[in-house]
Amino acid sequence: MLTPNMHYADLKDSYLFAGIAQKVKHYQQSHPDQHIYRMGIGDVSLPLCDAVIKALHEGVEDQADKERFHGYMPECGADFLRQAIAGYYRGRGVALAPDEVFVSSGASDELGDILDLFDGSSSALVIEPAYPAYVDANVIAGREIVHLASGEENGFLPLPDEHTVADILYICSPNNPTGAVFDREKLQAWVDFANKNGSVILFDAAYEAFIEESDLPRSIFELEGARTCAIEICSLSKTAGFTGTRLGYTVIPKELTRCGMNLNAMWVRNRTTKTNGVSYIIQKGAAAVFTHAGQEQIRQNIKVYKNNAKVLMAALDEVGIWYTGGKNAPYIWMKCPDGMGSWQFFDYLLNEIQVVGTPGEGFGACGEGYFRFSTFGSPADTREAARRLTDLLRGK
Ligand code: MLT
């Protein structure tokens, strides 16, 4: 009889955000008249910007034209988009060749798929609290996971020490869920560690566009030595509202080799076998993000989310609750009041004020006692949620 992948039995019953969606659905069914203020999953609320919409329409017209029609797309990405992304990095002082950029259908897909590059016996270090897909993808692959806990004592930005041993290192900065950002010196410590130990960093840069302090690194390739130890995975989901449109990109430098194997060449081999590329229309829309107009327009949308963050931070300041994030990231990570557990706080907010966030425990054991708010909701909902939160927590 066929044996299924038994590692699925080691996963939690449901994926964090699916479990929350289920709980919220049940609440809504039993309270059909109540409006729910959704600040749980980091899903955007603003539509795609005009430059992208125009390019998507042009893409559709191209597909209707005998001369301009596109069939299969290049597996690693259309040249025009790889060039545009390399140009975006160049504008930030990072030199990349277009064929070091791989177009994907999103960072979350890619974070799991990229594990094809590594032997099953390699271990994966996850800095917790962590985006749960890192852990789940490695559980499914049956890989040994090294959980590196972080906390308030290190600003949720731990560093490797003499006891750290791992082959694959997940680093997310700006961090999901804590909103903490590695500065140059700390990120350099991870790069130096990876080069010294032959590890590979999987750098999740999905929130880079939210960094407003110019001395903080937005790409790991701003650091010396990163080209020999890092892969960067990025996405247009949060930057440009592509959560439902789907497009991401991955940077694998040509210098990145292990055991005589070139990881860029291996990924070309992988993609040419496993994909037929991302849809032409979507790539056409994505390229518009990197134009002058596209950049201006997405910045306006990011400003709206940053204002939401300010509204929520002001509410937490008013009631004297400790939090981090919100400034260079679209997440606010707060301490639950009165020593409440994070799921207990989740139920409390949902039942009392119909506000949904994400319990910190869902991001790993050290997230217990904390709670995450996403700032991607509508401004009106965010203002009302902040008002309800202040009223509820005043005096706690
Ligand atoms: C989150 O809420 O952590 C993210 O939206 C999840 C994701 O990007 O898949």
Side-chain angles (χ1 to χ4, degrees):
M1 199 204 303
L2 172 139
T3 309
N5 179 349
M6 296 305 288
H7 299 301
Y8 278 75
D10 302 329
L11 290 168
K12 286 187 179 173
D13 279 352
S14 68
Y15 185 59
L16 175 63
F17 297 108
I20 291 174
Q22 208 48 32
K23 262 182 171 262
V24 175
K25 192 171 160 203
H26 284 147
Y27 181 86
Q28 184 80 84
Q29 276 164 353
S30 50
H31 302 82
D33 301 331
Q34 281 183 337
H35 179 73
I36 295 180
Y37 300 87
R38 294 170 196 271
M39 300 194 295
I41 191 164
D43 198 2
V44 293
S45 54
L46 291 169
L48 296 170
C49 69
D50 290 348
V52 169
I53 293 295
K54 182 166 172 284
L56 288 172
H57 281 296
E58 284 167 11
V60 171
E61 292 305 321
D62 289 347
Q63 292 300 70
D65 184 288
K66 211 160 114 238
E67 304 303 322
R68 303 199 308 266
F69 169 78
H70 287 75
Y72 283 129
M73 294 301 289
E75 298 87 347
C76 301
D79 277 347
F80 65 80
L81 183 54
R82 298 176 95 184
Q83 300 267 7
I85 295 168
Y88 175 64
Y89 275 81
R90 194 162 53 247
R92 287 154 40 200
V94 174
L96 297 179
D99 58 359
E100 293 177 317
V101 177
F102 295 83
V103 174
S104 74
S105 55
S108 45
D109 318 24
E110 193 82 340
L111 281 158
D113 293 349
I114 201 87
L115 295 175
D116 276 4
L117 289 178
F118 308 107
D119 188 77
S121 66
S122 51
S123 57
L125 177 143
V126 176
I127 296 176
E128 288 184 348
Y131 178 43
Y134 304 156
V135 173
D136 285 4
N138 283 284
V139 168
I140 290 171
R143 190 168 271 114
E144 181 202 343
I145 301 176
V146 179
H147 300 266
L148 177 59
S150 67
E152 284 177 53
E153 68 289 351
N154 51 25
F156 292 97
L157 298 166
L159 294 179
D161 62 22
E162 67 280 12
H163 306 297
T164 312
V165 184
D167 302 310
I168 304 165
L169 313 170
Y170 282 89
I171 299 181
C172 177
S173 180
N175 187 265
N176 177 13
T178 67
V181 188
F182 277 102
D183 64 19
R184 274 170 211 285
E185 197 188 329
K186 291 198 175 93
L187 197 53
Q188 189 68 57
W190 279 106
V191 169
D192 295 345
F193 171 85
N195 275 323
K196 187 161 161 241
N197 293 279
S199 317
V200 169
I201 296 174
L202 295 182
F203 189 73
D204 181 350
Y207 303 98
E208 57 83 13
F210 290 79
I211 291 184
E212 55 187 53
E213 286 171 80
S214 58
D215 51 337
L216 293 172
R218 286 171 58 179
S219 164
I220 196 153
F221 298 115
E222 293 174 35
L223 280 295
E224 209 180 314
R227 288 183 60 87
T228 52
C229 70
I231 291 176
E232 182 157 301
I233 295 178
C234 204
S235 155
L236 294 188
S237 284
K238 315 301 158 86
T239 311
F242 270 59
T243 51
T245 306
R246 308 305 304 153
L247 191 118
Y249 51 91
T250 298
V251 178
I252 310 182
K254 296 211 187 109
E255 290 93 316
L256 184 55
T257 60
R258 291 292 179 267
C259 301
M261 303 282 280
N262 183 296
L263 274 71
N264 179 295
M266 286 167 70
W267 199 234
V268 173
R269 186 67 184 81
N270 181 295
R271 296 291 82 184
T272 47
T273 302
K274 287 199 164 181
T275 83
N276 278 319
V278 174
S279 138
Y280 164 71
I281 298 168
I282 303 300
Q283 294 198 63
K284 175 103 178 150
V289 169
F290 301 100
T291 61
H292 181 70
Q295 287 291 301
E296 284 295 308
Q297 292 166 13
I298 63 162
R299 250 179 250 135
Q300 292 310 317
N301 288 1
I302 289 175
K303 232 188 236 168
V304 172
Y305 300 136
K306 282 187 167 287
N307 275 334
N308 287 344
K310 283 189 189 137
V311 168
L312 282 168
M313 290 193 286
L316 295 175
D317 285 338
E318 196 180 326
V319 293
I321 285 189
W322 182 94
Y323 64 88
T324 182
K327 184 165 168 57
N328 295 295
Y331 297 117
I332 294 173
W333 180 251
M334 64 168 277
K335 197 159 193 156
C336 301
D338 293 343
M340 274 187 179
S342 57
W343 283 101
Q344 187 189 3
F345 190 59
F346 174 88
D347 289 333
Y348 180 59
L349 292 192
L350 180 59
N351 291 316
E352 297 296 324
I353 57 173
Q354 295 72 54
V355 168
V356 176
T358 308
E361 195 270 341
F363 299 101
C366 63
E368 179 54 308
Y370 295 90
F371 200 74
R372 191 195 78 171
F373 285 122
S374 148
T375 62
F376 288 112
S378 78
D381 270 15
T382 306
R383 275 195 304 275
E384 177 58 16
R387 191 192 65 74
R388 289 174 174 228
L389 203 59
T390 321
D391 285 352
L392 185 73
L393 300 185
R394 195 173 277 126
K396 276 225 168 260

